[in-house]
Amino acid sequence: MLPKRPRVIAVANQKGGVGKTTTAINTATALAALGDDVLLIDLDPQGNASTGLGVDAGDRGVSTYDVLTRTNSLSEAIRPTEVPHLSIAPATMDLLSIDIELSASSDRALRLRQAIAGLKKKRPRYVVIDCPPSLTMLTVNALAASHAILCPLQCEFFAMEGLSQLMRTIAEVRTSVNQELKMHGIVMTMYDARNNLANQVVADVRATMGDLVYDTMIPRNVRLSEAPSYGKPALLYDLKCAGSQAYLRLVSELIDREQKLGAA
Ligand code: ATP
Ligand code: MG
């Protein structure tokens, strides 16, 4: 019997530098640490998730660009990482031109969804997608393929700016191609408890977004930002650091929500 269809979670926020890639890498690693097979799909032309998991720019082989253009299947792009149970489909800068290349295809929003559905033999339990900081066809492909969105918000003054646009995009994707899509939750990132403004921002976001906001907040933690330069997830680089511990707590909350979303 084939394993169940994977649960697909997109890490998305069109604002740049809010902690999407850090969250995608460490959430995927924490899920893999529980013993389930996890696939991280890098959908950002910057390829930061690929670099952060030790796949150097010169060594990407088949990439998500080849998958979206149907030159290769997704399973051909997948490669193992240093983390047991965690594999990655890497990204290259080629993705920059994907909007133009797919503009004439009527199924352009569904390329990734179809590629994931085509995974037959080695089906992971979870797929985590690292989205680029934009609401272009790459993010639409991620949302069309996903069950739920994990949205990192940076604890800074303009945190919620753009959230309504993301919510509108989610609504459009739900009506057009993916009725199942839900907001999994919002995670506050780069939190510094000593900063009054950060505390005010957190209070505002919780007042506006209510239960959608995870209890766990990811602290500003230098180990989290150092880890990618060693090509490792923070959880492997320094398991004990406050950032790694926060991602472990986030994933335990995420799994609780998965059960509530009826995914178990
Ligand atoms: P982009 O929109 O460019 O893809 P992003 O949303 O993926 O960015 P990241 O790359 O995860 O954001 O983070 C932006 C920068 O902040 C990186 O240098 C990262 O190492 C650092 N960073 C992320 N989270 C934290 C944290 N909790 N504490 C300290 N530094 C962090
Ligand atoms: Mg990123």
Side-chain angles (χ1 to χ4, degrees), residues 8-31:
V8 186
I9 299 170
V11 182
N13 181 343
Q14 75 275 21
K15 255 175 104 77
V18 297
K20 290 181 289 297
T21 301
T22 307
T23 298
I25 290 177
N26 290 295
T27 300
T29 302
L31 285 168

Side-chain angles (χ1 to χ4, degrees), residues 30-241:
L31 285 168
L34 296 172
D36 287 315
D37 285 336
V38 182
L39 168 63
L40 178 55
I41 297 182
D42 190 349
L43 222 54
D44 185 349
Q46 299 178 99
N48 294 338
S50 310
T51 315
L53 279 174
V55 187
D56 292 336
D59 176 35
R60 302 238 160 121
V62 177
S63 70
T64 48
Y65 169 83
D66 303 310
V67 175
L68 294 178
T69 54
R70 298 214 177 104
T71 311
N72 292 88
S73 68
L74 180 54
S75 52
E76 288 170 319
I78 295 174
R79 50 169 73 205
T81 70
E82 211 186 316
V83 182
H85 298 290
L86 178 62
S87 55
I88 181 159
T92 61
M93 298 237 292
D94 295 336
L95 281 179
L96 283 169
S97 61
I98 207 80
D99 275 54
I100 301 166
E101 292 195 43
L102 297 186
S103 61
S105 316
S106 57
D107 67 348
R108 60 186 176 277
L110 296 173
R111 295 291 177 105
L112 188 64
R113 187 185 175 96
Q114 289 161 356
I116 293 171
L119 283 178
K120 288 284 185 300
K121 277 194 220 122
K122 282 195 145 190
R123 251 181 210 175
R125 176 79 181 89
Y126 293 99
V127 173
V128 176
I129 306 171
D130 187 29
C131 293
S134 66
L135 288 174
T136 54
M137 201 36 69
L138 289 169
T139 299
V140 170
N141 260 274
L143 300 188
S146 294
H147 294 98
I149 295 164
L150 173 58
C151 176
L153 279 196
Q154 195 179 342
C155 296
E156 56 153 39
F157 187 61
F158 290 115
M160 277 194 292
E161 191 190 54
L163 202 54
S164 56
Q165 206 188 342
L166 177 63
M167 291 300 202
R168 267 200 304 280
T169 306
I170 294 172
E172 278 164 29
V173 169
R174 281 174 62 103
T175 44
S176 56
V177 286
N178 182 8
Q179 273 187 335
E180 283 185 308
L181 182 66
K182 294 194 173 70
M183 178 59 101
H184 213 300
I186 291 170
V187 55
M188 304 301 300
T189 62
M190 303 184 219
Y191 175 65
D192 176 358
R194 294 161 306 181
N195 180 329
N196 288 336
L197 176 62
N199 284 310
Q200 187 58 51
V201 170
V202 170
D204 285 352
V205 173
R206 289 198 188 282
T208 313
M209 306 308 293
D211 288 345
L212 273 183
V213 188
Y214 286 103
D215 291 338
T216 305
M217 295 194 276
I218 309 301
R220 188 172 278 285
N221 179 246
V222 72
R223 308 299 268 172
L224 288 178
S225 54
E226 284 169 1
S229 61
Y230 295 89
K232 287 179 195 293
L235 283 158
L236 218 62
Y237 174 63
D238 184 354
L239 176 63
K240 294 213 166 81
C241 76

